[in-house]
Amino acid sequence: MQSDSIRNLVLVLGDQLDPGSSALKDIDSNLDAVWMAEVAEENTHVWCHKLRIASFLSAMRHFRDELAKRGLRVLYHELQTDPAHDRGTSFAEVMISDVAAYSPKKIVVVDPGDYRVRHQLQAAADDSGTPIEFREDTHFYCSIEQFAAYADGRKSLLMEFFYRHMRRTHGVLMDETGEPEGGQWNFDHDNRRSFGRSGPPDIPAQKSFRRDATTQQVLDLVNQRFADHPGSAEKLSVPITRRQAKAALKHFVEHLLPQFGQWEDAMWTDEAFLFHSRLSVP
């Protein structure tokens, strides 16, 4: 039986929904708890499209449910239709409240991709007197420390040269002599074709996903709580769960990728996606 005492409070942010996350690698269901929070600040400090808000919150709630099915204890803060019923507007406010309630010995989190959030979490941990451990985000080929070492002493930083460095480092599309496959580093000039007056060729249908009850609840929340935000989420059909994302990736590789490269930068009236994957929401 779970008690209220917690060894590690493991924070999972909305862009870190990975069951293989470094924050979860040594979690103990009897000693630790996962902490997730929907907070207004993350949807308002930069004005967000309703589709982005809805997909983010729905993905978080589905991931919460997946963790619970694994037997993990999840402390989850849902945004309410009425802001007055929220326990805080920021990660810091909600986290400090839960740290006070559960007195964890340590806070664990994957290093946020946003320095603003990292600073906020560090300050909240300091205010509560609780140690916080920032773990490496293993979703990237290059760590912050590795990039700092690469950048040290360079007069300028160009993406093209860093791209080549990373390909050499990891042996991506390199031949046996250490040269790029195909004899050149990129084929950008081949990716800028236009459709011409006749327009694009036949575009395979995008793979869509039926919304479930969880997603519908989120849509109702977004339409009420964020009614003044731009856009609409009524046609939300992007992948929400890991399983859906893998299915969408498979569909993209098989049906859209063969045509994607040459028209990567092309646009056409009334064609929102063309040959793009829709694997993420901006």
Side-chain angles (χ1 to χ4, degrees), residues 178-199:
E179 294 299 316
E181 291 283 0
Q184 59 192 71
W185 285 103
N186 67 63
F187 295 83
D188 286 349
H189 64 279
D190 296 328
N191 297 344
R192 296 171 181 151
R193 289 185 58 187
S194 68
F195 294 127
R197 293 184 178 181
S198 60

Side-chain angles (χ1 to χ4, degrees), residues 43-230:
N43 300 297
T44 57
H45 86 280
V46 172
W47 214 236
C48 295
H49 193 287
K50 290 187 181 75
L51 180 62
R52 181 186 184 277
I53 300 173
S55 59
F56 236 78
L57 299 186
S58 182
M60 288 179 66
R61 294 186 184 189
H62 280 88
F63 191 71
R64 168 201 62 192
D65 295 343
E66 291 174 10
L67 293 179
K69 288 179 181 178
R70 287 172 50 185
L72 296 177
R73 182 182 184 185
V74 184
L75 307 177
Y76 193 96
H77 176 260
E78 286 190 2
L79 284 172
Q80 304 299 308
T81 303
D82 183 352
H85 295 155
D86 291 341
R87 288 196 291 114
T89 61
S90 67
F91 285 132
E93 290 179 2
V94 180
M95 190 179 82
I96 287 176
S97 172
D98 283 339
V99 168
Y102 296 99
S103 302
K105 294 181 175 60
K106 183 170 67 173
I107 299 166
V108 175
V109 62
V110 169
D111 211 351
D114 187 330
Y115 280 111
R116 172 188 58 85
V117 174
R118 191 186 201 281
H119 175 76
Q120 190 179 111
L121 296 180
Q122 181 69 68
D126 292 344
D127 289 345
S128 69
T130 308
I132 185 168
E133 176 187 347
F134 291 99
R135 294 186 176 177
E136 181 182 350
D137 188 341
T138 55
H139 296 103
F140 293 93
Y141 259 156
C142 182
S143 69
I144 295 174
E145 293 75 18
Q146 288 169 336
F147 180 76
Y150 167 82
D152 185 39
R154 295 179 185 269
K155 294 182 178 180
S156 64
L157 294 172
L158 296 178
M159 177 61 76
E160 175 66 21
F161 296 140
F162 178 64
Y163 164 76
R164 297 181 186 187
H165 166 75
M166 293 301 291
R167 279 181 60 179
R168 289 192 184 101
T169 299
H170 295 282
V172 176
L173 294 176
M174 304 295 293
D175 65 23
E176 295 178 353
T177 67
E179 294 299 316
E181 291 283 0
Q184 59 192 71
W185 285 103
N186 67 63
F187 295 83
D188 286 349
H189 64 279
D190 296 328
N191 297 344
R192 296 171 181 151
R193 289 185 58 187
S194 68
F195 294 127
R197 293 184 178 181
S198 60
D202 291 339
I203 303 170
Q206 290 279 352
K207 189 172 183 61
S208 60
F209 301 91
R210 183 179 300 176
R211 66 185 63 166
D212 60 9
T214 299
T215 298
Q216 187 58 55
Q217 289 173 357
V218 168
L219 289 174
D220 293 341
L221 168 69
V222 170
N223 287 331
Q224 295 178 64
R225 176 88 183 248
F226 302 101
D228 57 342
H229 280 239

